[in-house]
Amino acid sequence: MRRATWNADDVTTPYLASRLHGFGTTVFAEMSALAVATGSINLGQGFPDYPGPPEVLDVARAAIGTGADQYPPGPGIPELRAAVAAHQRRFSGLSYDPDTEVLVTAGATEALAAAMLSLLEPGDEVVLFEPIYDSYSASIAMAGGVARPVPLHPPAAEGGRWTFDPADLRAAVTPRTRLLLVNSPHNPTGTVLSAEELDLLAELAGAHDLLVLTDEVYEHLVFDGARHVSLATLPGMRERTVVVSSAGKTFNVTGWKVGWICGPAPLVAAVRTAKQFLTYVNAGPFQPAVAAGLRLPDEYFAGLARDLQYRRDVLVRGLRDAGLPVVSPEATYFATVDVRGVQPDGDGLAFCRALPGRAGVVAVPSGVFYAPEHAHLGRHLVRFAFCKSDDVLGEAVERLRRLA
Ligand code: PMP
Ligand code: GLN
């Protein structure tokens, strides 16, 4: 399987190593550039246009110009590793030793890449859900692994949720499977895996002795009383699971690129081996700031979700008014629409290319989150981000009415 990128077919460089063939410029970069070039409202790339909590930002400001500007310790500053462990204990109930079971990374992206590079042998298979967050396919390819996607299906009617067929998941796991890669809450669909779905994943991981990598960057952005449960909390799972998360979404600081992993010491030691030669360390002054954020009271995290739920509702209503059927997401920054009613050929990519001209808005065609051989499954789907300030979201919704 090959990649999910916007211009996957126009990689013409003779220098690109074969393992990266088919990986063009990421859709997020392309779409953000299109928004700037056309003066459109950017509901493509998922980043907030409002600041993080002052308690966090102030710590970073104060740290610049101090010793924190120099290389932090390889695994991350002790204060941040302790804060990650305490946050994990508070929200998932799992205990991790900050010295041997926590590693700070350059965002979740590096954590995921370092995990693939350190845990996979060439040819090892990774079972994961499709649509697929774009960096997964590239990281698996760079590690010489093979992705085995299991389709998530949209609900037949509004009000349902995206889910998978258990038979598809069982069939995807073979003797060559090494790793289960689970992203819940899920980008781009906004689905949160249910207790039954997590049970099945745990059963398969145990039965086939698989390693598990969980991407939980949207752990706090969960709505309507839905609950995020880490797969690592299920019986027997902590010992085989590397949990990945990041500060970007939780503190509205996607540009800081501070992430972390938690896991049993032997797995963390493996990931650390790859990580130390990718970036060694990063984000010196941001590390104490993220530590302060992770220590914020429960009310901060609840308020973050409440606020984003309100923004979700504004966008979902606006999309429906514009004639775009939408699944109201249980979590994340994103809502996915079916464009067939407003785009006669049902082509989400063509819709996104034309959207700046039609409505002055940019979105992301969900087809890029599918393997090429499954592209038809996502062809008519488009993802919109709602992590935007009231004015911007209100204006975007007004503009989208032009489609109706
Ligand atoms: N995983 C998922 C599912 C994401 O949506 C993103 C992007 N925000 C990342 C990982 C990357 O996170 P980071 O910016 O911390 O590298
Ligand atoms: N995670 C963000 C999204 O899905 C974008 C991250 C990126 O630009 N790589 O929109």
Side-chain angles (χ1 to χ4, degrees):
M1 183 192 90
R2 278 300 180 219
R3 59 48 321 136
T5 49
W6 172 254
N7 57 351
D9 298 328
D10 71 8
V11 175
T12 50
T13 171
Y15 299 109
L16 188 68
S18 59
R19 65 186 171 278
L20 281 172
H21 280 184
F23 291 93
T25 305
T26 88
V27 67
F28 306 115
E30 290 286 332
M31 288 288 108
S32 286
L34 183 63
V36 172
T38 59
S40 297
I41 296 179
N42 187 359
L43 302 186
Q45 193 175 30
F47 62 90
D49 64 355
Y50 39 85
E55 301 92 318
V56 173
L57 305 184
D58 287 348
V59 176
R61 286 192 190 96
I64 292 174
T66 73
D69 288 332
Q70 309 311 323
Y71 296 128
I77 62 169
E79 182 193 353
L80 177 53
R81 283 184 276 120
V84 167
H87 169 272
Q88 213 64 19
R89 215 167 24 251
R90 172 157 53 132
F91 289 102
S92 75
L94 292 173
S95 289
Y96 291 97
D97 175 354
D99 291 331
T100 59
E101 297 187 317
V102 177
L103 172 69
V104 175
T105 58
T109 308
E110 188 199 34
L112 291 157
M116 310 294 183
L117 289 167
S118 59
L119 300 176
L120 296 180
E121 295 289 353
D124 278 353
E125 296 191 357
V126 179
V127 169
L128 74 180
F129 292 109
E130 184 178 51
I132 304 170
Y133 178 63
D134 77 328
S135 83
Y136 298 175
S137 310
S139 288
I140 293 168
M142 286 191 276
V146 179
R148 291 288 176 226
V150 173
L152 285 173
H153 299 289
E158 282 190 26
R161 55 188 287 280
W162 287 70
T163 186
F164 60 90
D165 181 340
D168 289 343
L169 178 61
R170 288 184 190 280
V173 178
T174 73
R176 290 194 309 236
T177 309
R178 177 66 171 146
L179 188 70
L180 271 184
L181 170 48
V182 179
N183 171 217
S184 179
H186 182 258
N187 178 7
T189 66
T191 205
V192 178
L193 290 180
S194 68
E196 297 73 40
E197 290 165 341
L198 291 170
D199 281 346
L200 177 58
L201 287 161
E203 177 206 315
L204 290 171
H208 296 267
D209 195 18
L210 306 179
L211 297 177
V212 177
L213 187 57
T214 64
D215 177 346
E216 305 185 21
V217 299
Y218 297 101
E219 60 187 318
H220 290 295
L221 311 185
V222 177
F223 317 132
D224 304 322
R227 226 179 118 232
H228 166 64
V229 175
S230 174
L231 187 51
T233 62
L234 272 69
M237 293 302 287
R238 183 192 181 283
E239 290 318 300
R240 60 176 74 250
T241 302
V242 175
V243 174
V244 174
S245 196
S246 149
K249 315 300 188 285
T250 300
F251 303 112
N252 307 338
V253 290
T254 59
W256 284 13
K257 300 299 282 192
V258 179
W260 53 86
I261 65 166
C262 296
L267 283 175
V268 170
V271 180
R272 189 169 57 230
T273 305
K275 183 264 180 313
Q276 68 188 335
F277 299 117
L278 291 174
T279 54
Y280 179 47
V281 293
N282 70 298
F286 298 131
Q287 292 198 20
V290 172
L294 290 170
R295 293 191 297 258
L296 286 171
D298 291 359
E299 176 48 30
Y300 168 75
F301 300 91
L304 180 77
R306 263 199 316 275
D307 177 71
L308 210 55
Q309 179 173 324
Y310 159 76
R311 296 177 200 288
R312 177 205 61 180
D313 291 342
V314 171
L315 180 67
V316 164
R317 249 193 325 272
L319 291 168
R320 286 190 179 137
D321 289 349
L324 292 162
V326 55
V327 180
S328 185
E330 302 171 274
T332 76
Y333 280 161
F334 309 112
T336 296
V337 303
D338 180 336
V339 298
R340 285 175 290 192
V342 295
Q343 177 76 23
D345 63 2
D347 183 344
L349 177 57
F351 173 83
C352 287
R353 283 188 171 140
L355 195 55
R358 288 176 75 179
V361 172
V362 158
V364 166
S366 302
V368 301
F369 299 111
Y370 289 79
E373 59 272 28
H374 301 157
H376 58 285
L377 295 174
R379 183 172 179 271
H380 58 291
L381 301 174
V382 166
R383 191 194 80 175
F384 288 82
F386 48 82
C387 45
K388 302 297 168 187
S389 55
D390 293 352
D391 289 358
V392 170
L393 209 49
E395 173 64 22
V397 163
E398 272 308 307
R399 292 185 184 190
L400 286 167
R401 280 183 205 284
R402 294 177 202 162
L403 292 173

